Amino acid sequence: MNFKTSILAIIFLHISFCSFSQVEKSITFKGIVSDKETNEPLLYASIYLTEYGYGTSTDDKGEFSLTIKNFASNKNKLSISSVGYKTELFFLSTSKKEIDIKLVPQTQNLEEVVVTKQKYRNKNNPAVDLIRKVIENKAYNRTEALEYYENEKYEKVQFAKNDITPDFQKKKVFKHFQFMFENIDSLKNKGTKILPMYLKEDISNYYYQRTPRKVKEVVTAHKAVTFPGFDNKGIQDNIKYLYQDIDIYDNNILFLSNHFLSPIADLATTFYMYDIVDTIQIENSNYIKLFFGPRNKQDILFQGYLYITLDGSYAVKKIELSLNKDINLNWINDVKVIQEFDKAKNNSLMLSSEQISINFGLSKKNSGLFGQKIVRYSNYKFDPARDENIFKGQSLQMNDSANARSNEYWEVHRPERLSRSEAGTYTAMDSLLNLQVIKRAINIAGVVLFGYRDFGKFEIGPINTFYMYNPIEGVRLRFGGRTTDKLSKKINLESYIAYGFTDKLPKYYVGANWSFTKRNFMEFPVKSLKMSLQNETQLPGQQMQFLMEDNFLLSIKRGVNDKIFYNKTFKIEHLNEFQNHFSYTLGYKYTNQAPGGNLYFNYTDYLSHQNDVSNLNISEFYLNLRYAPHESFYQGKTYRVPITSKYPIFELRFTSGNTLWKNDYNYQNLRFSIRKRFYVSVFGYSDVVWEAGKIFGKVPYPLLNLPQANQTYSYQIESYNMMNFLEFATDQYTSLLIDHNFNGFFFNKIPLMRHLNLREIVTFKALYGNVTSQNNPDEQSDLFRLPIATDGTPITYTLGKTPYIEGSIGVGNIFKFFRVDLVRRFTYLNNPNVSKYGIRMRFRFDF
């Protein structure tokens, strides 16, 4: 479960609150904008509803489509403008929904710059010359160029229900909720009334040091609406990720879980078009107002306006960002970002305010949630910190008294007063969340979103693991749960029991996790001791944690699935994470492993279906070293998922088994991996994983490297989706995975497909390795024979000089949730029970 469940939690509350509402009537106006003299269509002309506060722009054919909700005849003014033309005002009418608009050409004199109507190009374009100056001076104008600075920061985040109409308020379902509508805000989101549902405020001090680079934010006051039964800190952390700080001086800007090319990126002039709109005066200084927009409206790019200084520094004074309606982005109807920079005491332009407003919706036509983040920065200081200890500890730290600030404190320290509607959010939501009907809805949401039913100090789940099936265990029922931090933040207990009705064997897990910090045991940096006892099955080549996270959807498998291990495992490990994101895990694991199904531990005749050895004793010490610079997480109550970023992750694992500690064999296992995401501008991104490993010593096949195969119909990113369980074994190997997502770069340019918002994915996987002679059962009589089928056909093979290769071409974002891949296996096609092609599907929620 990733961070998006936190956002879905707020959306679920919105749905439960207005599930009986109906879609409001809307009117769509279509038209074309052209040159009055030549009749040539005008590309990217601005279409703006002056009384509604939003609009659109024409496409590459000069055409536009504009949908208006709750259209009123007294709000019908449409402003049409384009660089090099006079702005026209048009009055809309329901009797004429198709519009032909003609603009009159004009020449604008902007000081010494003359802008005339011509086909767009970079050469001899004063707007492009200007933006190149901005790009050249980025290193001097960005705040990171300063040796040191600190400021005070106030942040306010709000979510609200959109489009609250009188008819909506009168619905019977809201009979007992009328007190909520006393808190309606008609000013926050222009053109519509909103009902606040969530509010969070933070006051903090921010510190930055360039050499060596250090950052620290200390939250001195915190206040937020809380949802009973939910991981409220996780919700807040993940909303913070959704509304990440935007640095316009970065080449790539992470926004709504996508990377957008900045309009002042080094390669921006290749993908953006620019036009000088006007020169304006702000606080007795002159600035150039510069329009920018994507050359291709479907690319993952911004559009909007830059305000550039005319003092020779080419710094950004203000920026207005929005997204084109044709962009391939889910759940987002409208976005507006405004940043303003003011001159500080050192004469630098420093960020003084930021406003990010987002309209979320299930579709482009449906209303949904309105979200807004407002940040105010003040009291900049540029003298180095006198207290060197200020940078010690976590980069984000909350004072002990932050949650206990009085209303009087907030009244004094807020840089601006809350509106009446905002101020009433805390009390109104507290009253709403205490209603029994809402509590029941929240309990249902907890089960649907997280898979657990919360009972306060403990919770039952995961629900999706209660039923499973495989040919060896048959129908398998499982029941379990875990404690929550309401029982203890230092200790987490987890347990389950399971039973297979075919093998008639019980399974169980009992685990305890002890935190050496005052924080939640999964909150970075973790310092913990974990101990567990488990009796469980394992598919050959699959890790134990895979089964623990498995669910009934993975019960359906292809091909032959009649081999399994029965493991009785005791494990104890210590995890120690450091502030620099280096960590180590030191542990010991003992496993008593027995073969199951048609799997045997046999030295001579595998077809005898007899075990020469009933079980293996696997006693191992292991050390795992991990370095993940700048890593952050989707944080939950009892789980966390790393957020994929541009920074690499290095991992080295050393395992030692020895007869001195009751292991049946003497060996060492060494594995090393690097994973990284590469962003390729508007062409999407590639996730790359390289791994290598080697076993030193003589071991039987259960202790060799058994590649992670996948025999389900679910597409698994880091598994070999056309490989069978136990098909290959190696004692030295290297592997490469490349998964590239084009984010709809090609589909968005195909007229009949662009509105489907599909996304193209290409994947390549290769595994190269072998089994050395000391671990080859054909050359060593004291090793278990490799598994074979009942007809004598080999099942498990050693890789030869040819690597195993598979690739896939996928289509993602189908109905906004599904990815479907056509997978092709390229090598070892003569092995039994293999297919050359396969179709696999994957479920994923994403923006």
Side-chain angles (χ1 to χ4, degrees), residues 698-736:
K698 179 184 286 189
V699 295
Y701 75 83
L703 296 178
L704 293 174
N705 171 62
L706 304 177
Q708 181 104 343
N710 174 31
Q711 285 188 213
T712 73
Y713 293 95
S714 169
Y715 188 85
Q716 298 174 13
I717 299 295
E718 296 196 22
S719 296
Y720 298 99
N721 292 281
M722 297 301 292
M723 185 186 292
N724 294 327
F725 295 137
L726 208 58
E727 184 179 352
F728 293 102
T730 66
D731 63 3
Q732 55 186 9
Y733 72 95
T734 183
S735 64
L736 178 66

Side-chain angles (χ1 to χ4, degrees), residues 355-571:
Q355 179 177 306
I356 303 176
S357 302
I358 306 174
N359 279 304
F360 301 88
L362 297 178
S363 70
K364 297 293 184 182
K365 296 182 179 180
N366 290 340
S367 62
L369 288 174
F370 170 75
Q372 187 177 70
K373 170 186 170 183
I374 294 176
V375 188
R376 300 286 183 257
Y377 302 88
S378 61
N379 198 20
Y380 277 93
K381 297 178 182 178
F382 302 95
D383 297 325
R386 297 178 181 178
D387 184 4
E388 293 294 333
N389 295 324
I390 192 65
F391 290 105
K392 289 186 176 181
Q394 299 182 71
S395 58
L396 178 61
Q397 181 178 315
M398 184 175 293
N399 284 352
D400 294 337
S401 58
N403 287 298
R405 298 299 188 184
S406 65
N407 291 333
E408 291 76 16
Y409 179 94
W410 283 99
E411 289 294 331
V412 172
H413 290 85
R414 282 190 187 102
E416 55 190 34
R417 293 176 60 88
L418 295 179
S419 67
R420 182 191 64 82
S421 177
E422 291 173 336
T425 303
Y426 293 114
T427 55
M429 288 304 299
D430 184 63
S431 300
L432 178 68
L433 294 171
N434 280 316
L435 295 175
Q436 287 299 319
V437 63
I438 299 299
K439 288 183 177 180
R440 285 194 294 270
I442 288 176
N443 287 333
I444 294 172
V447 174
V448 173
L449 298 177
F450 308 111
Y452 284 87
R453 173 66 168 89
D454 194 332
F455 291 94
K457 294 183 179 180
F458 69 96
E459 51 191 10
I460 301 299
I463 305 298
N464 58 2
T465 64
F466 283 6
Y467 171 84
M468 288 175 57
Y469 174 82
N470 64 69
I472 300 172
E473 294 180 275
V475 172
R476 169 185 161 124
L477 301 182
R478 168 176 152 170
F479 181 80
R482 63 193 181 190
T483 62
T484 70
D485 55 9
K486 290 182 180 178
L487 178 66
S488 173
K489 286 188 175 181
K490 280 190 166 292
I491 302 177
N492 174 259
L493 305 175
E494 184 174 1
S495 180
Y496 71 79
I497 57 173
Y499 185 79
F501 284 85
T502 297
D503 66 2
K504 301 185 184 304
L505 292 174
K507 291 88 183 176
Y508 59 82
Y509 174 87
V510 179
N513 201 335
W514 175 276
S515 174
F516 295 110
T517 70
K518 296 180 180 180
R519 303 180 301 274
N520 181 289
F521 73 98
M522 286 301 295
E523 188 175 337
F524 178 84
V526 173
K527 299 181 186 299
S528 66
L529 180 67
K530 185 176 183 180
M531 186 182 302
S532 64
L533 185 64
Q534 185 176 34
N535 183 0
E536 187 54 278
T537 58
Q538 178 191 0
L539 292 171
Q542 300 284 354
Q543 299 299 317
M544 291 292 291
Q545 59 265 28
F546 176 82
L547 280 180
M548 291 189 64
E549 297 299 328
D550 206 353
N551 60 68
F552 70 94
L553 294 176
L554 301 181
S555 297
I556 303 173
K557 293 182 173 66
R558 61 177 177 84
V560 179
N561 179 30
D562 60 354
K563 297 172 179 60
I564 205 165
F565 290 128
Y566 287 95
N567 293 333
K568 296 179 180 178
T569 301
F570 168 78
K571 184 167 71 172

Side-chain angles (χ1 to χ4, degrees), residues 512-777:
N513 201 335
W514 175 276
S515 174
F516 295 110
T517 70
K518 296 180 180 180
R519 303 180 301 274
N520 181 289
F521 73 98
M522 286 301 295
E523 188 175 337
F524 178 84
V526 173
K527 299 181 186 299
S528 66
L529 180 67
K530 185 176 183 180
M531 186 182 302
S532 64
L533 185 64
Q534 185 176 34
N535 183 0
E536 187 54 278
T537 58
Q538 178 191 0
L539 292 171
Q542 300 284 354
Q543 299 299 317
M544 291 292 291
Q545 59 265 28
F546 176 82
L547 280 180
M548 291 189 64
E549 297 299 328
D550 206 353
N551 60 68
F552 70 94
L553 294 176
L554 301 181
S555 297
I556 303 173
K557 293 182 173 66
R558 61 177 177 84
V560 179
N561 179 30
D562 60 354
K563 297 172 179 60
I564 205 165
F565 290 128
Y566 287 95
N567 293 333
K568 296 179 180 178
T569 301
F570 168 78
K571 184 167 71 172
I572 182 170
E573 65 179 22
H574 169 56
L575 171 60
N576 192 359
E577 295 180 336
F578 298 89
Q579 289 291 339
N580 62 359
H581 294 276
F582 172 80
S583 67
Y584 70 83
T585 302
L586 181 63
Y588 168 77
K589 182 174 73 172
Y590 171 79
T591 299
N592 181 282
Q593 185 175 83
N598 287 321
L599 194 63
Y600 301 97
F601 293 167
N602 190 290
Y603 291 116
T604 55
D605 184 10
Y606 193 91
L607 290 178
S608 67
H609 293 177
Q610 298 293 325
N611 288 314
D612 293 337
V613 176
S614 60
N615 57 68
L616 275 176
N617 292 300
I618 307 170
S619 180
E620 300 174 330
F621 286 94
Y622 57 90
L623 173 65
N624 196 79
L625 304 178
R626 188 174 186 272
Y627 180 53
H630 308 289
E631 185 176 43
S632 56
F633 301 92
Y634 306 120
Q635 186 68 58
K637 288 187 292 186
T638 56
Y639 71 90
R640 66 178 188 180
V641 180
I643 297 172
T644 305
S645 69
K646 64 181 180 181
Y647 299 102
I649 298 175
F650 304 91
E651 194 161 359
L652 176 66
R653 185 179 180 90
F654 175 75
T655 303
S656 178
N658 198 290
T659 55
L660 293 176
W661 42 84
K662 306 301 182 183
N663 196 63
D664 287 346
Y665 294 87
N666 294 318
Y667 60 88
Q668 291 78 42
N669 192 338
L670 190 65
R671 295 188 181 190
F672 177 70
S673 66
I674 304 174
R675 59 186 65 233
K676 187 182 183 336
R677 173 168 288 184
F678 294 90
Y679 292 97
V680 198
S681 189
V682 298
F683 300 103
Y685 60 87
S686 290
D687 288 325
V688 179
V689 181
W690 175 78
E691 183 176 310
K694 182 173 177 60
I695 297 173
F696 301 89
K698 179 184 286 189
V699 295
Y701 75 83
L703 296 178
L704 293 174
N705 171 62
L706 304 177
Q708 181 104 343
N710 174 31
Q711 285 188 213
T712 73
Y713 293 95
S714 169
Y715 188 85
Q716 298 174 13
I717 299 295
E718 296 196 22
S719 296
Y720 298 99
N721 292 281
M722 297 301 292
M723 185 186 292
N724 294 327
F725 295 137
L726 208 58
E727 184 179 352
F728 293 102
T730 66
D731 63 3
Q732 55 186 9
Y733 72 95
T734 183
S735 64
L736 178 66
L737 159 66
I738 303 174
D739 185 72
H740 185 83
N741 192 320
F742 286 95
N743 272 340
F745 181 81
F746 298 106
F747 285 152
N748 293 343
K749 296 173 176 59
I750 302 175
L752 296 179
M753 298 185 68
R754 65 177 57 168
H755 299 296
L756 298 176
N757 287 341
L758 300 177
R759 299 170 185 174
E760 323 85 345
I761 305 122
V762 178
T763 305
F764 170 84
K765 298 176 184 179
L767 172 67
Y768 180 76
N770 64 354
V771 174
T772 57
S773 60
Q774 70 172 341
N775 289 318
N776 190 335

Side-chain angles (χ1 to χ4, degrees), residues 78-97:
L78 189 70
S79 176
I80 304 95
S81 60
S82 182
V83 175
Y85 292 85
K86 294 181 180 179
T87 298
E88 294 287 340
L89 196 63
F90 189 89
F91 294 91
L92 299 172
S93 172
T94 55
S95 62
K96 187 177 182 181
K97 297 179 182 178

